Amino acid sequence: MTKPYVLDFSEVGNGDVAIVGGKCASLGELFQQLTRQGVRSVDGFSTTSHAYEVLLETDGLRDRLKKLLKGLDVNDLDELARVGAEARRLMLETPFPAEVETAIGEAYKRLGTRIGKMNYEVAVRSSATAEDLPDASFAGQQDTILNVRGEQRIIEACHECFASLWTDRAISYRTVKGFDHFDVALSIGIQPMVRSDIACSGVMFTLDTESGFRDVVVINGAWGLGEAVVQGMATPDEWIVFKPTLKQGFRPIVTRKLGVKEVKMVFADDGTGTQVRDVVDTQRNRFCLAGFEVLQLATWACAIEDHYSKLAGRPQPMDIEWAKDGITGELFILQARPETIHAQNTANYIETYKLTGTHGAPLATGVAVGEKIGHGQAHVMLDSAKLNTFKEGEILVTSMTDPAWEPIMKRASAIVTDRGGRTCHSAIISRELGIPCIVGSGDATEKVKNGTDITVSCAEGERGNIYYGKIDFKVEKQKITDTERPKTQIMMNVGDPDHAFAVSRLPNDGVGLARLEFIINNHIGIHPMALVNYPRLRNKADVDIIAARIHEEDPKEFFVRSLAEGVGRIAAAFYPKPVIVRMSDFKSNEYAMLIGGKEFEPEEENPMIGFRGASRYYDDRYKAGFKLECLAMQRAREDMGLTNITPMIPFCRTVEEGKKVIALMAEHGLVQGENGLEIYAMCELPANVVFADEFLEVFDGYSIGSNDLTQLALGLDRDSEMVAHLFDERNGAVEKMVAMAIDAAVRAGKKIGICGQAPSDYPEFAQFLVERGINSISLNPDTVLQTTKQILETEKKALAAK
């Protein structure tokens, strides 16, 4: 049977994958199968790899290329550039056979008939048969050409795509990865352009691109054509959506971050090709997608992942490109391909990088890619023509990268770019290479001096930091094993939403303490009452700062949304395990440090035992702020579907105070007992122990706060170095109080746990807790594995003794 040169997407089947090429087969199969499931994809046609093979046989092209490539050292960048240029010249000067040109022209007309257009613009997308393999993504190795119009120009663009198989970067990449140049064929997908040049577009992954956490969809988007996001020209907006509750019909956007979106790629003024323009401030300061559009894309991403997972017979995370048409307002899926980095990661350990040396303030910051640290000499390079000056082990500092930079990226100990987001070219390649990378820094090429030693740290949360000098760091490996679990639940203290996905890999029974203060301090930064009263604040400088931070968003909504998303991200990471969230417990001096805080906080002699905890919640000076906290918890539970969240009340001095707070929470939508809502209290005051039976009639559970309980039982200030030597949870008075609290919970049939370092630091204290029958022990993540072993041994000894 004669092999076809072109296939319409409606003709592409699974059996055609070998002759069509991975991406084009996916495009055609995506269009056929997922359209039936309500996923809006884009029609098109593709040349087959047979067309490429025929071109290679024309005028002895294959033999001439083999002769040219013989003996090439891809590490000799000058020679690589010479050979690559000559190979592309040979490709472009070898004409297409007439029958191939005819097949492309006829397919263009057929597609026009199907979509009701003539002489329309298309995207010409290259697809090599070796792309998107488990150990080689070939990200951006071949060219995609946008806004191509007319039969003749399409034929020329296809010729350029075939020639792009022989760029310097593609030759180098295949050689390094061990692929024979002539075992890799190329096909080309041709699709009508979605008019995202006057709307927006981007990329989404069906897992977290940093931690590999599988239960989320990460969406990046920016104004204009998607190449600006893929190439790292623009720092995009980002959303993270939780898949399990999305599939249940909830609206679980657990993260949204406004990107700078410096530039956008649009159609060129002359009607063909593209050009780059600056984005106006009004567009920079607002998200390019509405919430309902984010949820629609995430729903489609889940459908695509489910479809390809079924075909693969195993979970298959996906890398998907999307676009919004600015004329019709419709969203479209452009292509879907396997994610190639985390999908193959079967490591049974967690690697943690930590800075150990001293350092000053960061020279620059940006979006951290991965969680590693690297140091070396900075090489600030703004011109790809100077790639041959880059040395092994240097840190590449540049505005942005594209595939032309890849020959030196593999030599770098770290990469820093001014622009880009977590799905741009620099980020994708650095993950594949396993090196730290910071993108979207804005000004690293200006702040970092060429030739100076710097340290690139991606181990301090989602913001990556560039420090002056080579700072010492250590790497810890924790082996994860599916060993037996102790009867005592081992939970974790997790305050930072940015780390939640990564630490959730540790064996655990949920989160025993999630502090709201971390989210308020680091993700919001503004006093709740300042937002309640905005813009009627005494300090006009605070008004200006708040205005710049919240943009056009309602100030109260800014707080509720930001807090709900922070808590939601932690709850999603551990879902459906319980996540106990302590309502805010800032002291007045700490609250005063927030933007606008001094106006609303008293000056106290001893804030540690002053206006804090439950006493604030019903006081007129903070009542409206507590309402915002409650609304955030309600949104995370009700709108996001994260009913594994259990709010906990700190520093509750009296039983009556507890009743007041619970009644107030009900007024704000958190009704105890509804939709499985339990409300816990911290057991951290002697009164909580003495009246434990009465408190546990009001609350559904207790969590022992050993720090405050110890300082109040012993009458010492835990922040005072003069009496620090007396602070010891193993003191008999403290242990007696802990025992009384546990006994009361057992009598009441209520759950009781402890959150603190004592069980990690003192194995004998952990043994004491287990023997008293505590339900759970909550630990910092770095002590979970070791303490779990200790508790297992303690339980076995106790059982043997009985």
Side-chain angles (χ1 to χ4, degrees):
M1 186 177 85
T2 304
K3 292 181 179 179
Y5 295 119
V6 170
L7 287 176
D8 292 342
F9 282 0
S10 57
E11 301 174 317
V12 173
N14 292 333
D16 298 314
V17 171
I19 63 167
V20 178
K23 186 190 300 180
C24 292
S26 293
L27 288 170
E29 198 254 340
L30 185 76
F31 177 74
Q32 295 173 46
Q33 301 295 333
L34 297 183
T35 299
R36 298 170 192 155
Q37 299 181 33
V39 178
R40 192 178 291 118
S41 188
V42 183
D43 198 356
F45 64 92
S46 63
T47 69
T48 66
S49 52
H50 179 51
Y52 175 71
E53 293 294 334
V54 169
L55 179 63
L56 285 183
E57 297 307 321
T58 302
D59 296 341
L61 179 59
R62 185 193 300 270
D63 290 337
R64 286 187 288 163
L65 288 170
K66 284 185 175 181
K67 183 178 179 181
L68 176 65
L69 292 162
K70 187 175 181 179
L72 173 64
D73 178 7
V74 296
N75 292 312
D76 183 339
L77 297 187
D78 291 332
E79 180 65 6
L80 175 63
R82 185 193 69 79
V83 169
E86 178 65 13
R88 294 190 296 278
R89 185 189 67 79
L90 291 174
M91 289 291 298
L92 290 170
E93 291 181 357
T94 303
F96 274 148
E99 58 269 27
V100 174
E101 290 192 1
T102 299
I104 293 172
E106 290 177 349
Y108 180 65
K109 292 174 184 174
R110 287 196 303 273
L111 178 57
T113 300
R114 294 201 298 276
I115 65 174
K117 293 182 179 180
M118 295 178 62
N119 196 38
Y120 54 96
E121 60 277 347
V122 296
V124 180
R125 299 173 174 271
S126 60
S127 175
T129 51
E131 282 185 345
D132 305 316
L133 297 175
D135 59 349
S137 70
F138 282 81
Q141 291 300 318
Q142 286 70 235
D143 289 346
T144 288
I145 304 169
L146 302 177
N147 193 22
V148 179
R149 185 192 298 268
E151 288 183 40
Q152 187 56 42
R153 179 63 190 115
I154 290 175
I155 290 169
E156 292 171 359
C158 287
H159 218 148
E160 291 166 19
C161 278
F162 282 139
S164 73
L165 197 60
W166 299 95
T167 57
D168 305 354
R169 70 206 181 227
I171 295 170
S172 173
Y173 194 92
R174 286 194 297 269
T175 302
V176 170
K177 291 293 183 180
F179 286 89
D180 187 297
H181 296 295
F182 297 94
D183 285 344
V184 177
L186 189 116
S187 57
I188 301 167
I190 292 99
Q191 295 174 286
M193 288 291 296
V194 175
R195 290 303 304 272
S196 59
D197 61 303
I198 50 176
C200 58
S201 54
V203 179
M204 56 184 174
F205 286 81
T206 60
L207 47 60
D208 177 53
T209 51
E210 304 315 311
S211 65
F213 182 68
R214 296 290 184 94
D215 282 342
V216 291
V217 177
V218 177
I219 302 174
N220 279 187
W223 302 111
L225 300 171
E227 285 296 293
V229 175
V230 174
Q231 293 183 21
M233 297 179 188
T235 304
D237 298 332
E238 180 172 285
W239 300 265
I240 299 179
V241 183
F242 184 52
K243 291 189 286 190
T245 58
L246 176 70
K247 292 180 179 180
Q248 297 170 30
F250 293 98
R251 301 184 295 277
I253 301 175
V254 298
T255 298
R256 73 189 83 197
K257 294 180 180 176
L258 187 69
V260 180
K261 304 183 291 293
E262 303 92 335
V263 297
K264 60 181 176 180
M265 183 179 286
V266 298
F267 284 9
D269 292 334
D270 63 6
T272 60
T274 61
Q275 63 188 36
V276 177
R277 290 181 181 165
D278 290 337
V279 176
V280 297
D281 287 343
T282 52
Q283 282 191 316
R284 287 189 182 197
N285 293 333
R286 62 186 175 92
F287 288 100
C288 65
L289 288 174
F292 74 91
E293 293 173 318
V294 171
L295 295 171
Q296 178 64 80
L297 287 174
T299 300
W300 286 351
C302 290
I304 292 169
E305 180 181 54
D306 291 345
H307 175 75
Y308 284 103
S309 295
K310 184 176 180 181
L311 288 179
R314 54 177 170 75
Q316 178 56 71
M318 300 297 291
D319 170 355
I320 302 163
E321 292 184 21
W322 61 269
K324 180 179 178 179
D325 193 297
I327 297 174
T328 67
E330 296 175 294
L331 292 168
F332 289 91
I333 298 299
L334 303 182
Q335 69 178 45
R337 56 192 173 198
E339 190 276 341
T340 58
I341 305 299
H342 291 290
Q344 302 301 316
N345 184 8
T346 58
N348 64 339
Y349 61 86
I350 291 178
E351 199 172 58
T352 304
Y353 282 67
K354 292 182 180 179
L355 290 171
T356 56
T358 57
H359 56 79
L363 296 171
T365 67
V367 179
V369 177
E371 297 175 339
K372 294 184 177 181
I373 299 172
H375 54 210
Q377 191 175 89
H379 192 137
V380 181
M381 184 182 295
L382 300 177
D383 185 357
S384 61
K386 299 179 179 178
L387 297 184
N388 58 356
T389 65
F390 192 85
K391 298 176 182 177
E392 187 82 29
E394 290 182 328
I395 293 178
L396 176 62
V397 182
T398 185
S399 176
M400 54 179 249
T401 68
D402 58 37
W405 294 73
E406 288 174 25
I408 68 165
M409 292 173 79
K410 63 179 183 284
R411 301 180 182 180
S413 59
I415 297 171
V416 178
T417 68
D418 286 343
R419 296 181 176 181
R422 292 204 290 161
T423 54
C424 73
H425 176 266
S426 306
I428 292 171
I429 297 304
S430 65
R431 288 189 199 99
E432 188 172 313
L433 295 173
I435 59 176
C437 174
I438 294 174
V439 297
S441 66
D443 57 5
T445 54
E446 298 174 11
K447 295 291 183 65
V448 176
K449 286 184 169 53
N450 187 53
T452 58
D453 288 337
I454 60 171
T455 296
V456 175
S457 172
C458 297
E460 300 169 86
E462 290 205 343
R463 298 300 294 174
N465 295 312
I466 302 114
Y467 297 105
Y468 177 78
K470 290 185 176 181
I471 301 166
D472 291 338
F473 64 91
K474 65 179 180 179
V475 184
E476 296 177 346
K477 285 188 177 182
Q478 291 182 292
K479 190 173 182 181
I480 302 172
T481 57
D482 293 326
T483 55
E484 58 183 315
R485 302 289 298 155
K487 179 182 176 182
T488 307
Q489 291 186 330
I490 304 301
M491 306 178 83
M492 282 195 278
N493 303 328
V494 181
D496 185 357
D498 295 348
H499 285 142
F501 293 157
V503 299
S504 67
R505 290 182 59 202
L506 290 165
N508 69 86
D509 296 298
V511 174
L513 178 63
R515 300 178 178 92
L516 284 196
E517 302 91 83
F518 188 95
I519 301 170
I520 294 171
N521 197 37
N522 291 277
H523 292 252
I524 298 173
I526 306 169
H527 195 289
M529 294 303 294
L531 290 168
V532 169
N533 289 277
Y534 176 86
R536 302 178 309 278
L537 302 176
R538 289 198 296 264
N539 188 340
K540 296 308 174 186
D542 288 340
V543 174
D544 293 339
I545 295 170
I546 293 171
R549 186 163 297 196
I550 68 175
H551 299 294
E552 300 174 2
E553 193 169 10
D554 175 85
K556 296 176 188 175
E557 170 60 18
F558 171 79
F559 183 90
V560 172
R561 176 189 60 77
S562 301
L563 189 57
E565 289 171 0
V567 170
R569 183 161 174 170
I570 296 173
F574 293 86
Y575 184 87
K577 298 171 186 175
V579 172
I580 301 171
V581 179
R582 189 180 72 187
M583 307 302 278
S584 68
D585 193 26
F586 280 121
K587 288 73 175 175
S588 56
N589 61 321
E590 295 167 340
Y591 256 127
M593 299 302 292
L594 296 172
I595 296 167
K598 288 184 173 62
E599 184 173 336
F600 300 96
E601 293 300 326
E603 290 188 12
E604 299 184 279
E605 289 293 330
N606 192 349
M608 187 73 74
I609 54 174
F611 189 44
R612 64 175 287 201
S615 302
R616 296 182 68 99
Y617 302 159
Y618 56 87
D619 190 287
D620 288 339
R621 287 170 291 182
Y622 189 74
K623 198 173 185 179
F626 183 62
K627 177 180 179 180
L628 299 184
E629 293 185 32
C630 291
L631 292 177
M633 295 304 103
Q634 183 192 34
R635 182 173 299 184
R637 284 180 53 87
E638 304 296 332
D639 289 5
M640 299 181 185
L642 297 165
T643 53
N644 58 326
I645 293 172
T646 298
M648 180 166 64
I649 307 304
F651 227 75
C652 187
R653 293 173 166 98
T654 70
V655 175
E656 287 304 312
E657 189 169 65
K659 292 177 180 178
K660 278 185 183 180
V661 171
I662 285 180
L664 195 57
M665 294 175 75
E667 289 180 24
H668 303 320
L670 293 174
V671 181
Q672 192 175 29
E674 282 191 7
N675 199 18
L677 176 64
E678 292 185 329
I679 301 175
Y680 284 13
M682 291 289 292
C683 178
E684 54 191 342
L685 309 173
N688 299 144
V689 176
V690 175
F691 288 101
D693 294 316
E694 289 79 4
F695 273 103
L696 287 169
E697 289 178 4
V698 176
F699 293 102
D700 298 297
Y702 250 177
S703 180
I704 298 169
S706 57
N707 288 340
D708 273 334
L709 187 60
T710 300
Q711 77 165 345
L712 293 171
L714 299 179
L716 54 84
D717 180 354
R718 71 179 193 226
D719 292 335
S720 170
E721 69 280 1
M722 290 183 288
V723 291
H725 63 284
L726 295 173
F727 187 93
D728 190 342
E729 295 93 333
R730 297 168 298 176
N731 181 282
V734 179
E735 286 196 345
K736 189 168 185 177
M737 284 200 162
V738 170
M740 290 169 63
I742 295 173
D743 292 346
V746 172
R747 286 195 301 272
K750 301 287 181 75
K751 293 179 181 176
I752 185 166
I754 187 170
C755 47
Q757 274 301 104
S760 304
D761 296 338
Y762 310 119
E764 66 271 28
F765 190 71
Q767 180 177 345
F768 158 74
L769 294 170
V770 170
E771 290 173 350
R772 296 301 308 194
I774 201 162
N775 298 119
S776 65
I777 296 175
S778 192
L779 308 162
N780 288 339
D782 59 350
T783 63
V784 163
L785 295 177
Q786 183 60 38
T787 307
T788 298
K789 293 178 183 177
Q790 294 172 357
I791 290 171
L792 269 169
E793 293 172 3
T794 297
E795 289 183 350
K796 288 178 181 178
K797 289 178 181 177
L799 186 63
K802 287 183 180 178

